[in-house]
Amino acid sequence: MLTVSVKWQKKVFEGIEIDVTLPPYVFKAQLYDLTGVPPERQKIMVKGGLLKDDADWSAIGVKDGQKLMMMGTADEIVKAPEKAIVFAEDLPEEEQATNLGYSAGLVNLGNTCYMNSTVQCLKSVPELKSALSNYSLAGRSNDVDQTSHMLTVATRELFGDLDRSVNAVSPTQFWMTLRKKFPQFSQLQNGMHMQQDAEECWTQLLYTLSQSLKAPASSEDSDAVKALFGVNLRSRVHCQESGEESSETESVYSLKCHISHEVNHLHEGLKHGLKGELEKTSPALGRTAVYLKESLIDSLPRYLTVQFVRFFWKRETNQKAKILRKVDYPLELDIFDLCSEDLRKKLEAPRQKLRDEEGKKLGLQPKSSSKDSDVKMTDAAEAPSNEGGESSTAAQQEGASSSSEKGTHMTGIYDLVTVLTHKGRSADSGHYVAWVKQESGKWIQYDDSHPSIQREEDITKLSGGGDWHMAYIIMYKARFVSM
């Protein structure tokens, strides 16, 4: 039996006994009685990080008389209602949808789960919904064709229907418009519409919206979709045979996680995805040669999308086959080491500020407060920003990125907000489902017309290794700091 003290807010609780033969969850229950902070909200700092419910006390190394620190908010005292109780079923449907805390599901119109899951994931981006709500025929650019315009309007209307409804919404108009714009989604097999690839649907829809939501002036700063999802890559192309070397730049809407027997984690797959070989004509050799292409991220989006490259063409069966290998991915992703040197320099000050802020929450002193650090922070804070989630064009070329709120900056750290999974052995069959984090922090599984609440710890278990749902497309949201 150990005796410790616990500091919580401005209070210190002395003489709390720990029975080391029982799991830490029992200790948390004791603290709940003292503080009113539920165990699931308690964050107790111990050696190695936060105290887990099922940790081994002997491995943690808590000593008799030690002072522990706890963070967490207590349950509010329940007050008597000031107004008469109104039952949810008596409210208008739109208010019912708001009270529910998450939007409605989508009816499966016949192998349309690939489309439904894509819509639910993209709908979770409030900035995209805002850009769509401002879209109108009057603002339509001359280079946007009629079907692209119609699909953009259908997307806007479907997003709105989902937010206003409690019951599942039928996406008939959107589906018809999508097939009109992209006829490949109209393929039939035995008289029924075929299952399609969710990644293709995601890419085509995002490309259409990127064209439609550009301002008529069509400048870099007017591209809302690129500002939200676009990743600028700087590549070094090298031919070992001739020694020729060149550099290239390109903009993509997602990074690829390549899967091989060496890849066990998302970060490893991303590194593989940023390297590759290509064949092209070598002026020095006068013939085709193999070039090695190595890329680094040169500017960051507000939302980082990653596709797990799980499908490949199998010649023996003449169809797409699936790689079932388990590849873990985190709730928090740090891509600092995948960035170019220029971008890393831009991220250093915001990252230090983020570390200092997190340290303050734990009662720690900032590691550095030197003049050099202050200068870096000031320079970063004065970098111009725009409404699109990235810096101005000039700053983009230097690798800077900032949010739409002036004075806030990216850190290179992202938090998981959506997972689109596939269950089955082939891209042309199986089932797609969306798992979306709400603003409240709760996770909702959108299985077509059936949304359901999920536990956060179950989200990272969708990493593959069997026939269960496994991550195919995941999306992270950038973490910012104020400077």
Side-chain angles (χ1 to χ4, degrees), residues 97-98 100-106 119-120 123-124 129 158-169 436 438 444-446 448-452:
T98 301
L100 196 60
Y102 54 89
S103 57
L106 286 164
V119 168
Q120 293 287 11
K123 180 193 162 295
S124 71
K129 289 168 62 177
L158 183 56
F159 283 6
D161 289 344
L162 287 169
D163 280 336
R164 291 186 293 267
S165 179
V166 173
N167 300 314
V169 173
V436 180
Q438 311 300 299
I444 303 297
Q445 176 194 23
Y446 288 101
D448 288 328
S449 57
H450 305 291
S452 60

Side-chain angles (χ1 to χ4, degrees), residues 164-207:
R164 291 186 293 267
S165 179
V166 173
N167 300 314
V169 173
S170 177
T172 306
Q173 187 60 45
F174 177 85
W175 188 42
M176 291 172 59
T177 312
L178 179 70
R179 287 184 292 152
K180 188 171 184 179
K181 172 65 180 175
F182 302 106
Q184 64 266 35
F185 296 127
S186 295
Q187 291 177 300
L188 297 174
Q189 187 175 47
N190 299 325
M192 296 182 62
H193 283 97
M194 293 175 58
Q195 178 70 283
Q196 300 292 333
D197 189 341
E199 190 275 331
E200 184 179 2
C201 180
W202 182 302
T203 301
Q204 299 286 32
L205 178 57
L206 212 55
Y207 174 77

Side-chain angles (χ1 to χ4, degrees), residues 12-28:
V12 178
F13 300 92
E14 304 282 357
I16 302 175
E17 292 186 341
I18 298 177
D19 187 345
V20 294
T21 64
L22 299 175
Y25 187 85
V26 177
F27 174 59
K28 289 186 175 183

